[in-house]
Amino acid sequence: MAGRADTAAARRRWLLLTPALLVLIFAASGPLLIVVVYSFLTPGDYGGIEWMFSTDAWFNVVASRDFFDETVTWNDAHLSIFWRSVKLSLMTTLACFIFGLPTAYFIATRPKGQRDFWMLLIIIPFWTNLLIRTFAVMEIIRNEGVVNTFLINMGVIQEPIQMLFTDFAIMVGMTYVYLPLMVLPIYASLERLDFSLVEASYDLYARRWRVLRRVILPLAKPGMIAGSILVFVPSLGAYVTPRVLGGGKNLMLGNLIELQFGQGRNWPLGAALSITLLAIVMVALLIYVRQAEREGSHG
Amino acid sequence: MIEVTNVTKTFGSGADAFTALKEVSVTIRQNEFFTLLGPSGCGKTTLLRTIAGFIDPTSGSLSLEGRDILGDPPYLRPVNTVFQNYALFPHMTVAQNVGFGLEMLDKPRSEVQATVREMLELVKMTQLADRQTSEISGGQQQRVALARALAPKPKVLLLDEPLSALDFKLRKEMQIELKRLQSETGITFVFVTHDQEEALTMSDRIAVMNEGRILQIGGPRDIYDHPAERFVADFIGDTNFVEGTIRAIDGEAAEVELPSGKTVASRRQEGGPQAGAVTIAVRPEHATLQAGEGLLSGTLSNIVYFGTDTHYHITLDDGHAFVIRRQNQPDARESYAVGDAVGVSFAPGVAQVLRD
């Protein structure tokens, strides 16, 4: 009897789990498997693939063979794009942290009734289309844009500073777009913070800076880790922002992948690059979480 | 040691303004166990937090060992607090919590370690030094909070209802423990509580507070035997109130005429009422019951046996209720019955003339 009740409960559990499993299989695992398979095939002449095994795509991710004399060299174009992607993502994460932490702290220390209002201000940009937001950044930093016009009128500079279509522009754009993803988790952990702990540390002779460093920051750490991951991961795969603000010259990984599936007509290479991106993200997360845990247990 | 002079604290402004402290003045002496006692919302915690430096009073002054400390932030005052919820740092071990204050004072590492060891020994927590604070019980957290506050050797230790979260048995233990710590360390303790028994058993002196004012300051015996006001008499212990009229005064002595027409020698406070209608207070255990006539007479309306003592409820001739508490003797037969006409008496000097 107990056995029958158990099987009924088990069946119900599986029934409840099924929608999520279906989504995972068809929307995540399935496509991922297809991408892995494609990366080991030969590109078709007009895009698509031919069902012929080849490791060329993987070879081309990091290296290139000279068309005439067959000498093998590092693929500098790809490597510089990898490096730029990682570098810009790290800088974006850092910038989001620098702007996000004080913002989150500010909101968390407002009276309860006011916090929702400030959170709303942080969330409102999310309601706007990503492309529109990116064009807004463009309007601010282009040569005839708000910043340059202002500086020229003030007489600070004679010639406009070239900011648009640079790595800097991409970083500014991504920081703007992903900032809420940093603020929200940090705010969540600061809001839970028991303010009497802050009082206790003041009482025990800690000045402002030390209260922050020894009590507030360590307790907000889970939020800081979550926020950093939430910003770093999408930055690494960003597509729209580098496309618009990088002007097609300063590619990031997302653009490179898109290129292979579009004009490049090299689907296997695109697939191999996608998996490379996935691998970079996973390695980065592993290192980061491991590091954060170690610091956590030591102090 | 601590001089609080005319401190007033008003929160908010306009119609929402709430005055938590009204012209409070008190002197707390070196090495004493001083208790602020009162119901919730009486201002005792506000006064404590003012001494700690978390609250800036609206007016008045505060000095420690003759030095004005009102302008000093909490981290410059040689005063430490044991918080009601303990406020232990959850990301640190027991030992790190205890050493925090000394570390913030930039004491050398060896000194910090030595003091931490000494403090943990003092509160008997040496074995749990490396535990996380989430892994220890409420009573143990309490001890850690005490050790942490005592470690920097403050001039004054402030305790904000530290025992209220503990169960009955643990609370009794900690009362004795606190008293021991206070005498061993020689540090002045300022203790906030709403529990009259806690206040009476532990304190050298008690300040009874209500509605932002200190009503009476004195030793436990003084406060209990000689309450100055109706609120104090009512808040601490049980009391009978009897209306009377002052016929004559001589210093602390007052001749009070009772509703029965008889007069009794009572005790009055300096600055208390000098003539006219007054209320006198008599503790239930300070009055005696007798058959027939007494200072006051009435009818026995109820007898309640409590084991250690018996409560006699009497309806006086003027309709007021009066309770007498008498300690039980072994094998004594109850000699009264409900409905008996009885007399109530109390010795000269026992009744207390209240100020109000």
Side-chain angles (χ1 to χ4, degrees), chain B residues 228-231 241-243 271-273 277-280 353-356:
Chain B
E229 289 191 25
R230 195 184 185 101
F231 178 86
F241 296 107
V242 180
E243 307 300 324
V278 289
T279 305
I280 61 171
V353 177
L354 300 177
R355 175 177 68 198
D356 45 13

Side-chain angles (χ1 to χ4, degrees), chain B residues 149-161:
Chain B
L150 285 170
K153 308 241 155 68
K155 296 214 161 69
V156 182
L157 188 74
L158 306 175
L159 303 106
D160 187 6
E161 306 219 20

Side-chain angles (χ1 to χ4, degrees), chain B residues 206-265:
Chain B
I206 300 171
V208 183
M209 291 185 73
N210 190 37
E211 292 178 342
R213 292 180 206 282
I214 291 181
L215 303 180
Q216 189 174 2
I217 301 175
R221 193 173 285 275
D222 195 33
I223 295 264
Y224 186 82
D225 285 349
H226 308 299
E229 289 191 25
R230 195 184 185 101
F231 178 86
V232 179
D234 210 16
F235 189 73
I236 299 167
D238 301 316
T239 307
N240 295 295
F241 296 107
V242 180
E243 307 300 324
T245 313
I246 292 186
R247 287 290 167 232
I249 59 165
D250 177 17
E252 284 202 331
E255 207 59 41
V256 176
E257 186 185 325
L258 298 171
S260 60
K262 297 183 172 156
T263 58
V264 65

Side-chain angles (χ1 to χ4, degrees), chain B residues 67 176 203 213 225 290 300 329 332:
Chain B
R67 192 173 63 86
I176 297 164
S203 318
R213 292 180 206 282
D225 285 349
Q290 64 203 79
L300 204 52
Q329 303 302 326

